[in-house]
Amino acid sequence: MRALERAVALAAKDLRVEWRRREVLLPSASFGLLVALVLGLTQGAQPDRAPAVLWVALALAAVLLVERTTEREGEEGTLEALLLYPGSREDLFWGRWAALVVLLLVLGLALGLAQAVLFGVRLGPGWMRLAAAGLLASCGLAAVGALLSALLLNVRGGHLLMPLLLLPTCLPVLLAGIRLTESALQGAPFGPWLGVLVVFDALLLLVGPPLFAAVAEG
Amino acid sequence: MLRAFLGGATAALLALGLVLALWLSPPDAYQGEYVRIMYVHVPSALAAYVAAAVACVAGALYLWRRQARYDHLAQAGAELVVVFSGLTLLSGMLWGRPVWGVWWAWDARLVTTAVLFLLYVGCVLVRGLSDDPERGRSLAAVVGVVGFLDVPIVHYSVVWFRTLHQPPSIGPGGVAIAPPLLLPLVVNALAYLALLGYLLVERARLAQVEASR
């Protein structure tokens, strides 16, 4: 099998498991919604607060999502089995990354729609730019998630270390997401933020696969 | 021999730096005596970033070559990032309270240093918590590499998000610091870098001894 086919097959496997069990997306989305509700209730639900609340809720829900998909791999020993197959270890990273991008996009869409209702946000013609920002942010978050998920497998208290490592690493994604959402809602120019996301994504996608492979072999 | 020389040089530089900082440096025109905290704050921040660079390069070399000596250096680097960035945060807070009127400000360099501190705390933890020591070494190396590469992006994103900290006094645009204050700062920076080098060598050696038992 070629690299692309392997990655696609792996991503399809992850998504199929999630589709049949629905045990990751639903709890993560519910948790994200809960965070949004608590923040809206305690901090006030003015429409201009919606972007920050959305991205904080999304980041916390993403931690849960990555953590749970990792736990599933660990419980069932699937990563060990996958490592026995011939081919590059980097394809495993790409498969995992692609599946996480799809899951994060679905999560972001669900939370974004819920937020628009809760905070009374009117989404004008900026929705396409918002979607572009969401896609770039998901790519970055998924790259860190795919790398960390391989790292923290079989580490005691790995689920505690996940937020400690994922959230600070992804701080640029969070900040860029907030500012891009604000400017998309106001119809203002994006400024340097699109560049921040592109640089972050490029860096993580460049170093992620070799690091993943090095750890998988170690 | 090298260790004894490095230790002696470090002690001498630290003593000289202390004398310059506490007695020979004049008080600042605006900040008064509080400016002396700078002689701990700026050098420890510099040492933290150099230690992070060491942890990154040594970690990458370890992942590539799988030689234990690189891992010992990466371990020493990561632990020293925690020490020096912790010292930077602490001295910054002690300085910020009288000068800015607050213990903490939501400024780019403060947040970046806090992120650096937390990432390397994670790096040290992941090594200790791993069931398989070999795996722990690889994981710590990866966190060290990713952490160091991520920090500049974190920094610039926080700069653009909001900022209050004074701009860097020493940069490509020139030096915006009075010469009587600059000399103690440079000597203290050299002293902290020597201290970092000495601690790196000693900690790496200790890790080697621990591993060989």
Side-chain angles (χ1 to χ4, degrees):
Chain A
M1 274 170 111
R2 286 202 313 269
L4 185 66
E5 286 174 52
R6 278 165 54 88
V8 170
L10 282 167
K13 183 264 304 174
D14 276 358
L15 293 174
R16 203 176 303 122
V17 170
E18 177 51 29
W19 176 251
R20 290 188 184 154
R21 292 199 186 169
R22 294 183 186 82
E23 62 177 9
V24 175
L25 258 182
L26 213 56
S28 310
S30 313
F31 176 68
L33 190 61
L34 184 68
V35 171
L37 274 175
V38 170
L39 286 178
L41 188 66
T42 53
Q43 307 290 308
Q46 290 86 344
D48 59 336
R49 301 225 167 125
V53 172
L54 168 67
W55 283 91
V56 170
L58 192 61
L60 293 175
V63 169
L64 213 63
L65 186 139
V66 175
E67 225 170 63
R68 183 61 205 134
T69 43
T70 308
E71 245 172 26
R72 192 160 62 193
E73 298 256 286
E75 282 163 9
E76 295 164 20
T78 41
L79 188 66
E80 281 87 347
L82 286 173
L83 288 174
L84 293 175
Y85 282 91
S88 166
R89 309 275 196 247
E90 295 189 9
D91 305 341
L92 295 179
F93 174 89
W94 289 113
R96 184 122 253 271
W97 172 78
L100 276 179
V101 169
V102 174
L103 290 176
L104 285 171
L105 278 176
V106 176
L107 182 69
L109 186 66
L111 283 181
L113 289 176
Q115 288 268 304
V117 175
L118 285 176
F119 285 71
V121 177
R122 291 177 61 85
L123 191 57
W127 70 270
M128 265 181 66
R129 295 164 61 191
L130 198 57
L135 182 64
L136 278 174
S138 301
C139 289
L141 274 176
V144 180
L147 185 60
L148 286 183
S149 68
L151 294 188
L152 298 179
L153 213 62
N154 304 328
V155 172
R156 262 174 298 134
H159 56 289
L160 292 174
L161 284 174
M162 182 70 86
L164 186 63
L165 293 173
L166 188 97
L167 288 175
T169 312
C170 290
L171 193 61
V173 175
L174 192 67
L175 299 183
I178 293 172
R179 286 291 186 253
L180 287 173
T181 309
E182 280 171 357
S183 44
L185 290 179
Q186 294 160 1
F190 270 170
W193 291 108
L194 213 55
V196 171
L197 272 187
V198 170
V199 169
F200 184 90
D201 288 5
L203 182 74
L204 264 300
L205 290 177
L206 206 67
V207 299
L211 287 179
F212 182 97
V215 171
E217 270 158 37
Chain B
M1 182 61 199
L2 177 75
R3 283 168 50 219
F5 173 74
L6 198 56
T10 304
L13 271 172
L14 279 173
L16 178 65
L18 208 60
V19 169
L20 283 171
L22 290 181
W23 286 285
L24 297 182
S25 160
D28 184 74
Y30 299 104
Q31 301 182 9
E33 303 292 345
Y34 295 124
V35 76
R36 298 185 199 282
I37 300 175
M38 174 177 76
Y39 303 126
V40 175
H41 180 70
V42 176
S44 50
L46 180 67
Y49 283 101
V50 174
V54 170
C56 172
V57 173
L61 282 172
Y62 175 72
L63 289 174
W64 182 31
R65 293 288 178 83
R66 298 276 166 192
Q67 289 174 6
R69 59 190 172 138
Y70 295 129
D71 175 60
H72 300 327
L73 198 57
Q75 182 178 6
E79 288 176 6
L80 287 169
V81 176
V82 174
V83 170
F84 281 108
S85 57
L87 192 61
T88 307
L89 288 174
L90 195 67
S91 57
M93 284 172 155
L94 292 177
W95 195 9
R97 176 68 190 149
V99 174
W100 290 340
V102 285
W103 293 103
W104 181 263
W106 292 102
D107 158 78
R109 264 173 283 171
L110 275 84
V111 176
T112 308
T113 311
V115 167
L116 187 75
F117 176 75
L118 287 173
L119 273 175
Y120 281 85
V121 165
C123 179
V124 172
L125 281 177
V126 85
R127 175 189 294 271
L129 289 175
S130 187
D131 290 329
D132 170 13
E134 167 57 35
R135 197 171 165 74
R137 289 193 278 273
S138 305
L139 304 189
V142 169
V143 177
V145 171
V146 172
F148 184 69
L149 296 179
D150 189 43
V151 161
I153 309 182
V154 171
H155 182 76
Y156 281 103
S157 59
V158 186
V159 167
W160 285 323
F161 206 74
R162 53 165 76 200
T163 207
L164 165 81
H165 203 292
Q166 59 176 354
S169 300
I170 303 172
V175 177
I177 190 166
L181 299 182
L182 184 61
L183 177 72
L185 185 60
V186 170
V187 171
N188 273 294
L190 288 176
Y192 273 66
L193 287 179
L195 179 65
L196 172 70
Y198 178 65
L199 290 176
L200 272 175
V201 170
E202 288 295 327
R203 182 64 188 97
R205 216 179 78 78
L206 185 63
Q208 190 185 0
V209 172
E210 281 171 348
S212 64
R213 279 202 324 192

